[in-house]
């Protein structure tokens, strides 16, 4: 099946739904089994079934199965937020004394999370994306995972995932990729060597900002070494299921990171139009980026689809269908940035991406507020930078809105 068809039909059991086009919402905290023995079997993982929604729920399973198909993985675990999914994806394999090698151009929340992990003895070594000498030099005996975003948010640098996976694997560690900004529409990291992919489904997957949620997907291909990952030693016997089995049996249920069934339902409605929305958003972003570049030579426009982008060549090679729906502009000063944002009438001024509506934000004073000056620079955040998450509006209306706002500030 091609992408849009699979969004509607892959991983769905029509009979189980009694032919309904949408999945039922099992808005129930707990599930009865016919016998005490039956419940025991489920707790022992000796029989399939549901007992408690924190551990599993059929509406959530339905969402997970569709994401697994979408990302081309083996199994997924849906979480209450993208941050919960990232936390679970990493803490399932890490312990005190372990180290992460991460691209420095990360979403601010992830930088904050890595900072929090320090208190638990987990250190992060930041590297410049695609700087292979620097990345090679960052490995040591404690390195247990490599992490990056397919398209850095809001740096908009593009990670060469295939090459990064090769480097990680040569050192015997897995590659975890945050695919939120690219989405499976542009790129499926698991098909290019990544081992675990994480999506904040609050963003493009949901599409209309009605649910916070996240999901992680395992390729099932990484061979976990008992010595290096002692937490997985009881699970390696499950082969490709080792990582997910450990997560479901332990960290995920114990941290109470589950998604709500209602939000799993809403995400599935969003998911079905991901391809159509991304196609439109990528096209709009290309047009808007070109418009800024042509009309406002004083601005610095950053978009992987522009030949002026340092990451255009990798984007061109790696993505078939577009360059994503996010671009940034630098307009000269913090004052101008705020004035421009305040004068927009169509775009929403808020902290989010991936909505059907166009969204703008000044990252330095919001999502990167807790980052140090150096961290901000690495993440491509500057005092005069505006991030634009382009929506599905008619492009002429978007251009006109930005043009009038820019005219107001140039007066
Ligand atoms: C939003 C975002 C997250 C966090 O997701 P939440 O659902 O808000 O917890 C993680 N990574 C990236 C790239 C994001 O844009």
């Amino acid at each position: 099946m091609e992408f849009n068809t699979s969004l509607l039909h892959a991983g769905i059991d029509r009979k189980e739904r009694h032919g309904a086009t949408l999945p039922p919402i099992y808005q129930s905290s707990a599930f009865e089994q016919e016998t005490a023995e039956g419940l025991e079997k489920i707790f022992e993982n000796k029989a399939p079934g549901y007992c408690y929604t924190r551990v599993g729920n059929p509406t959530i399973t339905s969402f997970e199965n569709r994401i697994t198909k979408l990302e081309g993985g083996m199994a997924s675990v849906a979480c209450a937020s993208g941050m919960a999914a990232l936390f679970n994806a990493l803490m399932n394999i890490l312990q005190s004394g372990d180290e992460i090698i991460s691209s420095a151009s990360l979403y601010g929340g992830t930088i904050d999370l890595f900072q929090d992990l320090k208190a638990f003895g987990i250190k992060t070594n930041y590297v410049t994306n695609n700087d292979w000498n620097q990345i090679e030099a960052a490995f040591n005996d404690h390195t247990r995972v490599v992490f990056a975003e397919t398209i850095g948010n809001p740096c908009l640098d593009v990670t060469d995932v295939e090459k990064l996976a090769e480097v990680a694997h040569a050192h015997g560690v897995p590659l975890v990729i945050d695919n939120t900004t690219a989405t499976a529409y542009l790129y499926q990291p698991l098909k290019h060597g990544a081992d675990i992919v994480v999506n904040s489904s609050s963003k493009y997957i949901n599409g209309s900002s009605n649910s916070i949620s996240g999901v992680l997907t395992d390729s099932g291909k990484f061979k976990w070494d008992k010595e290096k990952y002692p937490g997985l030693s009881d699970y390696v016997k499950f082969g490709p299921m080792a990582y997910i089995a450990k997560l479901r049996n332990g960290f995920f249920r114990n941290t109470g990171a589950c998604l709500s069934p209602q939000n799993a339902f809403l995400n599935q409605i969003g998911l079905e139009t991901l391809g159509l929305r991304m196609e439109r958003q990528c096209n709009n972003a290309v047009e808007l980026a070109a418009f800024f570049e042509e009309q406002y030579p004083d601005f610095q426009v950053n978009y992987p689809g522009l030949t002026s982008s340092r990451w255009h060549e990798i984007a061109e090679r790696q993505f078939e269908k577009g360059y994503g729906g996010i671009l940034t502009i630098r307009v000269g000063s913090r004052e101008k940035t705020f004035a421009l944002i305040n004068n927009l009438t169509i775009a929403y001024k808020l902290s989010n991406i991936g909505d059907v509506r166009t969204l703008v934000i000044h990252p330095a004073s919001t999502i990167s507020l807790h980052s140090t000056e150096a961290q901000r620079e690495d993440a491509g955040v500057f005092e005069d930078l505006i991030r634009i998450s382009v929506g599905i509006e008619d492009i002429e209306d978007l251009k006109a809105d930005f043009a009038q706002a820019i005219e107001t500030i140039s007066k």
Side-chain angles (χ1 to χ4, degrees):
M1 271 188 254
E2 296 291 316
F3 191 78
N4 284 304
T5 314
S6 75
L7 286 176
L8 297 164
H9 300 289
I12 287 166
D13 183 342
R14 292 193 194 186
K15 280 210 189 83
E16 194 185 45
R17 291 179 176 188
H18 306 284
T21 54
L22 295 172
I25 308 167
Y26 287 90
Q27 192 69 40
S28 180
S29 307
F31 298 85
E32 186 194 29
Q33 297 301 322
E34 277 174 30
T35 60
E37 289 82 357
L39 195 55
E40 182 187 36
K41 283 217 174 73
I42 287 178
F43 269 78
E44 290 174 342
N45 292 314
K46 286 184 180 154
Y50 297 96
C51 58
Y52 196 57
T53 288
R54 172 154 52 73
V55 182
N57 171 295
T59 314
I60 300 169
T61 304
S62 161
F63 175 55
E64 290 167 340
N65 290 344
R66 294 173 81 172
I67 293 292
T68 302
K69 289 275 183 221
L70 185 65
E71 288 288 0
M74 195 205 53
S76 300
V77 174
C79 297
S81 67
M83 292 315 301
L86 282 169
F87 183 53
N88 269 268
L90 294 167
M91 295 309 281
N92 193 43
I93 52 175
L94 298 179
Q95 60 181 43
S96 177
D98 290 349
E99 294 186 17
I100 301 167
I101 292 178
S102 171
S103 144
S105 59
L106 292 185
Y107 170 70
T110 309
I111 294 175
D112 292 349
L113 171 66
F114 289 170
Q115 180 68 23
D116 289 336
L117 294 184
K118 268 191 191 166
F120 301 93
I122 295 163
K123 191 181 152 204
T124 305
N125 300 297
Y126 289 104
V127 292
T128 305
N129 233 349
N130 307 327
D131 181 335
W132 306 111
N133 291 334
Q134 203 193 350
I135 294 169
E136 199 57 54
F139 281 91
N140 63 40
D141 289 346
H142 304 285
T143 309
R144 290 293 175 273
V145 67
V146 175
F147 181 83
E149 294 174 5
T150 312
I151 302 178
N153 173 13
C155 185
L156 306 181
D157 54 337
V158 180
T159 304
D160 185 335
V161 174
E162 230 161 70
K163 183 131 187 222
L164 190 58
E166 273 170 30
V167 172
H169 294 161
H171 288 273
V173 304
L175 174 63
V176 177
I177 288 283
D178 181 335
N179 202 36
T180 304
T181 44
T183 81
Y185 172 81
L186 284 190
Y187 195 64
Q188 292 149 333
L190 300 183
K191 293 185 179 167
H192 298 273
D195 301 286
I196 290 142
V197 64
V198 180
N199 280 284
S200 164
S201 36
S202 320
K203 315 286 173 56
Y204 289 98
I205 289 173
N206 177 281
S208 46
S209 313
N210 57 46
S211 310
I212 295 293
S213 58
V215 57
L216 66 91
T217 308
D218 178 22
S219 73
K221 288 184 190 149
F222 191 78
K223 303 270 177 293
W224 302 99
D225 178 315
K226 284 189 200 184
E227 308 275 301
K228 256 182 145 163
Y229 302 93
L232 277 140
S233 52
D234 288 346
Y235 293 92
V236 288
K237 63 178 181 245
F238 297 117
M241 286 301 289
Y243 176 90
I244 291 286
K246 175 172 188 292
L247 192 59
R248 283 218 176 271
N249 263 294
F251 210 80
F252 168 70
R253 68 169 67 178
N254 299 336
T255 49
C258 72
L259 182 59
S260 83
Q262 179 75 36
N263 288 355
F265 171 77
L266 291 168
N267 280 346
Q268 288 179 80
I269 297 178
L271 186 61
E272 296 179 341
T273 58
L274 176 67
L276 290 181
R277 285 182 284 109
M278 278 301 285
E279 190 181 336
R280 172 71 167 225
Q281 284 165 305
C282 290
N283 288 340
N284 273 357
V286 166
E287 285 223 27
L288 200 58
F291 167 73
F292 287 132
E293 211 171 44
E294 282 159 25
Q295 301 292 320
Y296 307 100
D298 292 350
F299 289 5
Q300 282 182 45
V301 189
N302 181 19
Y303 181 62
L306 292 173
T307 48
S308 58
S309 161
R310 274 159 63 202
W311 302 285
H312 182 68
E313 187 251 311
I314 297 174
E316 192 72 8
R317 180 153 41 86
Q318 199 161 266
F319 306 142
E320 278 173 25
K321 293 188 269 190
Y323 306 94
I326 303 174
L327 60 115
T328 61
I329 49 174
R330 291 184 67 180
V331 303
S333 71
R334 183 187 164 103
E335 290 67 35
K336 279 191 179 167
T337 304
F338 276 42
L340 199 165
I341 289 175
N342 293 341
N343 279 299
L344 289 168
T345 57
I346 290 179
Y348 277 76
K349 307 144 186 90
L350 50 75
S351 140
N352 196 10
I353 55 168
D355 194 295
V356 283
R357 284 150 280 259
T358 295
L359 318 172
V360 295
I361 197 163
H362 176 245
S365 61
T366 55
I367 48 175
S368 296
L369 187 64
H370 303 293
S371 298
T372 63
E373 201 58 42
Q375 283 172 334
R376 279 188 208 170
E377 204 151 304
D378 287 342
V381 174
F382 304 94
E383 276 302 327
D384 65 339
L385 180 118
I386 301 177
R387 184 187 70 190
I388 305 165
S389 171
V390 184
I392 63 168
E393 295 95 342
D394 292 299
I395 187 65
E396 293 309 323
D397 288 330
L398 289 180
K399 285 184 194 168
D401 194 24
F402 279 98
Q404 65 77 24
I406 295 164
E407 197 169 311
T408 317
I409 65 162
S410 354
K411 272 181 199 152

